[in-house]
């Protein structure tokens, strides 16, 4: 029996933003494995077993998926957005590296998805049009000191920045600290985009100057984009366009 493992990104929320390649993999799957809200986005059908698990059990989930594939099942591990961006693809490879040699011979593919920062950037205009970086603000998997260091260096290098996992109930203070660091390092009024639940019915986009950004503008479902010093606003009726020019004068 030959099984397979596909690690797929479901995009930010809308069905219209699921790639045809991912839809085809889901249509062929015998098993879908993932975090509860992501598995809930996959329609049940005869012949498909859904394995939903809680957050923070990524390695167990990867092991389960690899075991099912080894047993000959056609397994799809689902993540939101892109599976390689703060998501399951790394967890699967970490598990393979530490696991039995037979897992390395499995048919394994990663299918990209539209990551939250790109969906959010498109809503606002083109804030990531020049050099940028993405930082996960959760300190569940890395020390907070490292996050602060990267924030200061990113501000010093004048990157636009996209922040994932800005704030949660168990981490109420980190994002306020992030804003303090950025205000201290940048000392200007560059735009900050708060993009919540992008591409879903609950989508909310707001743009504020950095000194007016407040921690309670973000939650678990928000991706935050902070412009570089060159990021510009085109005011108009309704929401402004936010963009970062492609070029920097020599
Ligand atoms: C664990 S990360 C997963 C990221 C995902 N793999 C991706 O590529 O978008 C979860 C974080 O992604 C961001 N996120 C995911 N979906 C979003 C959406 N529809 N709108 C805004 N932010 C989103 C939020 O910052 C959230 O805290």
């Amino acid at each position: 029996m030959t099984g397979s493992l596909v690690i797929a990104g479901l995009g930010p929320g809308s069905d219209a933003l699921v790639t045809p390649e991912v839809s085809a993999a889901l249509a062929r799957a015998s098993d879908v494995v993932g975090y509860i809200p992501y598995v809930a986005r996959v329609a049940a059908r005869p012949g498909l077993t859904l394995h939903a698990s809680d957050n923070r059990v990524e390695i167990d989930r990867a092991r389960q998926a690899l075991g099912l594939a080894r047993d000959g099942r056609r397994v799809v591990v689902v993540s939101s957005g892109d599976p390689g961006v703060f998501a399951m693809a790394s967890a699967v490879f970490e598990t393979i590296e530490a696991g039995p040699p037979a897992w390395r011979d499995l048919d394994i593919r990663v299918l990209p998805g539209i990551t939250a920062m790109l969906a959010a950037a498109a809503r606002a205009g083109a804030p990531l049009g020049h050099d940028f970086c993405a930082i996960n603000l959760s300190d569940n998997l890395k020390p907070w000191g490292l996050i602060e260091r990267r924030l200061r260096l990113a501000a010093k290098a004048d990157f636009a920045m996209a922040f994932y996992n800005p704030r949660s109930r168990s981490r109420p203070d980190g994002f306020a600290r992030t804003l303090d660091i950025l205000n201290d390092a940048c000392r200007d009024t560059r735009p900050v985009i708060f993009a919540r639940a992008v591409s879903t019915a609950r989508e909310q986009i707001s743009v504020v100057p950095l000194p007016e950004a407040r921690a309670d503008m973000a939650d678990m479902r928000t991706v935050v984009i902070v412009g570089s010093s060159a990021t510009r606003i085109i005011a108009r009726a309704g929401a402004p366009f936010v963009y970062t020019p492609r070029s920097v004068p020599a």
Side-chain angles (χ1 to χ4, degrees):
M1 247 186 322
T2 317
S4 61
L5 178 58
V6 167
I7 311 157
L10 297 176
S14 164
D15 286 347
L17 297 183
V18 180
T19 69
E21 184 180 47
V22 168
S23 298
L26 289 171
R28 289 191 65 247
S30 62
D31 297 79
V32 168
V33 175
Y35 177 37
I36 297 160
Y38 307 153
V39 171
R41 289 176 56 189
V42 178
R45 60 171 163 77
L48 176 66
T49 307
L50 300 174
H51 307 264
S53 45
D54 206 347
N55 211 356
R56 298 201 187 199
V57 292
E58 290 190 346
I59 299 297
D60 291 344
R61 190 184 296 142
R63 229 179 260 126
Q64 177 189 27
L66 287 157
L68 286 165
R70 184 87 182 103
D71 290 344
R73 312 284 296 176
R74 291 184 307 280
V75 184
V76 178
V77 174
V78 288
S79 286
S80 74
D82 181 273
V85 178
F86 309 131
M88 278 304 293
S90 293
V92 170
F93 290 117
E94 200 179 321
T95 308
I96 290 172
E97 193 178 9
W103 280 352
R104 299 181 183 213
D105 297 329
L106 288 168
D107 170 11
I108 297 178
R109 283 181 308 144
V110 181
L111 305 185
I114 296 175
T115 188
M117 72 177 173
L118 298 186
R123 285 290 193 264
L128 305 180
H130 191 73
D131 297 344
F132 66 92
C133 65
I135 300 178
N136 187 337
L137 292 181
S138 166
D139 59 355
N140 286 340
L141 300 173
K142 62 189 169 194
W144 176 256
L146 178 63
I147 297 175
E148 286 206 5
R149 184 158 165 263
R150 288 182 175 161
L151 284 169
R152 288 191 191 284
L153 291 172
K156 193 171 174 193
D158 202 16
F159 285 119
M161 302 168 220
F163 298 136
Y164 287 76
N165 289 101
R167 191 161 168 263
S168 71
R169 250 175 269 134
S170 61
R171 295 179 290 104
D173 304 326
F175 187 53
R177 179 82 190 119
T178 297
L179 292 173
D180 287 345
I181 289 168
L182 292 180
N183 274 301
D184 180 52
C186 302
R187 296 175 184 269
D188 60 17
T189 58
R190 66 189 62 200
V192 180
I193 300 157
F194 289 88
R196 184 173 191 282
V198 178
S199 87
T200 77
R202 300 195 166 176
E203 175 176 302
Q204 285 177 325
I205 312 282
S206 57
V207 181
V208 298
L210 176 57
E212 289 175 30
R214 289 193 325 274
D216 64 4
M217 291 173 173
D219 66 7
M220 279 283 287
R221 299 212 63 201
T222 308
V223 68
V224 182
I225 297 177
V226 179
S228 72
S229 65
T231 301
R232 305 176 65 81
I233 287 206
I234 302 176
R236 57 178 188 142
F241 291 125
V242 184
Y243 83 102
T244 306
R246 304 262 335 266
S247 57
V248 172

